[in-house]
């Protein structure tokens, strides 16, 4: 099977001039940090600093706090491991009631991770309330609609009985 020919590149590039400069490692790191903090690629940040405009196609990037993202990854791995252990326990015949506190803790961990992600992205949470998927132990199970009598109190036999 042959590969299709590559798409032709634009022949009308507008930016044909380059400006090069030398920097020390520290200067380069500071430059990239400022570009990241501004939410711009290095070239767009340099254009904005030099001529006051990043350009029409410059896209803002969300600055990410590397330390916060490492922390989020650690929490996410721990929560995933805990959920895997809960699933293994349930698949081997474990009683769901015994792991409900662990499930609630995992859901709380996910809510904390969500908050850390918002912090790392520099955004405010939308305050959407997380749904508690784990019923409490005190709640009775939902009624079995096949064997429970209707709200009138008397059970109606099936039509073919």
């Amino acid at each position: 099977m042959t590969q299709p020919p590559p798409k032709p590149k634009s022949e009308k590039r507008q930016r044909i001039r380059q400006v090069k400069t030398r920097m020390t490692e520290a200067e380069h790191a500071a430059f990239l940090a400022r570009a990241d903090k501004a939410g711009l690629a290095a070239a767009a940040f340099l254009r904005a600093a030099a001529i006051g405009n990043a350009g029409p196609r410059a896209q803002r990037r969300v600055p990410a706090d590397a330390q916060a993202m490492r922390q989020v990854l650690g929490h996410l791995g721990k929560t995933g491991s805990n959920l895997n252990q809960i699933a293994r326990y349930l698949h081997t015949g474990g009683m769901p009631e015994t792991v409900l506190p662990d499930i609630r803790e995992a859901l709380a961990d996910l809510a904390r991770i969500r908050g850390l992600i918002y912090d790392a992205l520099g955004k405010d949470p939308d305050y959407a309330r997380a749904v508690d998927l784990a019923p409490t132990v005190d709640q009775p199970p939902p009624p079995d609609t096949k064997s429970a009598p209707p709200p009138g109190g008397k059970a109606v036999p099936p039509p073919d009985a």
Side-chain angles (χ1 to χ4, degrees), residues 85-154:
Q85 291 173 5
I86 291 168
R88 178 178 290 180
Y89 173 78
L90 291 173
H91 284 287
T92 58
M95 298 300 297
E97 297 80 21
T98 60
V99 292
L100 280 176
D102 297 324
I103 293 172
R104 286 195 187 94
E105 185 178 336
L107 289 172
D109 285 343
L110 289 174
R112 280 191 292 277
I113 290 169
R114 181 176 183 260
L116 288 171
I117 291 171
Y118 272 108
D119 289 345
L121 295 176
K123 294 187 174 249
D124 291 327
D126 59 4
Y127 299 106
R129 201 176 100 120
V131 178
D132 184 10
L133 299 176
T136 61
V137 177
D138 299 336
Q139 287 179 336
D144 183 10
T145 56
K146 293 178 184 173
S147 62
K154 292 186 178 181

Side-chain angles (χ1 to χ4, degrees), residues 28-38:
H28 189 254
F31 166 70
L32 292 178
R34 289 186 67 194
D36 187 54
K37 187 174 182 180

Side-chain angles (χ1 to χ4, degrees), residues 12-29:
K12 297 180 109 186
R13 284 197 189 270
Q14 295 178 0
R15 293 188 179 120
I16 57 173
R17 301 287 181 207
Q18 292 182 359
V19 176
K20 296 181 181 181
T21 186
R22 293 182 184 272
M23 296 181 184
T24 65
E25 288 293 328
E27 291 170 337
H28 189 254

Side-chain angles (χ1 to χ4, degrees), residues 3-82:
Q3 298 259 343
K7 291 183 181 180
K9 300 215 176 190
S10 172
E11 297 295 326
K12 297 180 109 186
R13 284 197 189 270
Q14 295 178 0
R15 293 188 179 120
I16 57 173
R17 301 287 181 207
Q18 292 182 359
V19 176
K20 296 181 181 181
T21 186
R22 293 182 184 272
M23 296 181 184
T24 65
E25 288 293 328
E27 291 170 337
H28 189 254
F31 166 70
L32 292 178
R34 289 186 67 194
D36 187 54
K37 187 174 182 180
L40 293 170
F45 179 74
L46 188 57
R47 271 193 303 277
I51 61 174
N53 183 354
R57 292 178 45 192
Q59 296 179 354
R60 289 222 171 256
R61 294 180 297 123
V62 177
D65 181 359
Q67 176 66 26
M69 295 309 284
R70 283 192 291 274
Q71 186 179 12
V72 167
L73 280 175
H75 285 299
L76 197 56
K78 176 182 172 253
T79 302
S81 176
N82 289 346

